[in-house]
Amino acid sequence: VAGANEILQLASSSDDRTLILVCVSGGGSALFCSPRSPLELEDLMATNSRLLESGMPIEHMNVIRKRLENGKGGRLAATAYPATVLTLILSDIIGDPLDLIASGPTVPDDGSDWDDACRLVQE
């Protein structure tokens, strides 16, 4: 959590002359973790355990994760604005949906929202 928060803090201090290079791969959701208030790490850990136990596809899990953390769903790139963000992505998801790989820290959410996340949880 401290590392993710430090990355977000550094990104927020960038300007229009800053180039940020981001390397993203499968498993990045677990490594780049910054809970949205009032959530804490333990909440995310419990949620992730239940998602894994459910057998839910990774694409669906990441729709939910993007709602629970500060840097996911394009929010790392948004935090870095007006910097230029260059992202290199190694996909672990069939079809390569960029907004779902590692929960898309530098890619805008591709149409999913809180209603979608709630529907997935209820299923």
Side-chain angles (χ1 to χ4, degrees):
V1 173
N5 289 338
E6 185 174 350
I7 290 168
L8 289 164
Q9 178 60 39
L10 287 168
S12 72
S13 67
S14 60
D15 60 29
D16 62 351
R17 295 175 34 127
T18 304
L19 171 63
I20 298 175
L21 178 62
V22 181
C23 298
V24 175
S25 69
S29 286
L31 297 173
F32 185 60
C33 178
S34 174
R36 292 178 84 171
S37 183
L39 299 175
E40 298 191 11
L41 179 60
E42 292 75 20
D43 300 314
L44 296 181
M45 290 170 58
T47 300
N48 192 54
S49 291
R50 286 181 179 80
L51 291 173
L52 290 170
E53 290 167 4
S54 76
M56 181 181 289
I58 188 69
E59 298 90 341
H60 294 170
M61 286 188 216
N62 287 350
V63 167
I64 295 166
R65 289 175 176 157
K66 287 192 277 185
R67 304 294 168 299
L68 306 178
E69 299 189 44
N70 290 314
K72 294 181 170 55
R75 285 189 290 279
L76 173 58
T79 299
Y81 183 81
T84 298
V85 178
L86 175 64
T87 306
L88 305 175
I89 299 175
L90 178 62
S91 176
D92 65 337
I93 301 177
I94 295 171
D96 306 327
L98 300 181
D99 68 310
L100 295 177
I101 301 164
S103 302
T106 60
V107 181
D109 201 350
D110 191 18
S112 66
D113 58 21
W114 274 103
D115 289 336
D116 296 317
C118 289
R119 180 183 47 77
L120 290 169
V121 168
Q122 292 171 354
E123 291 176 356

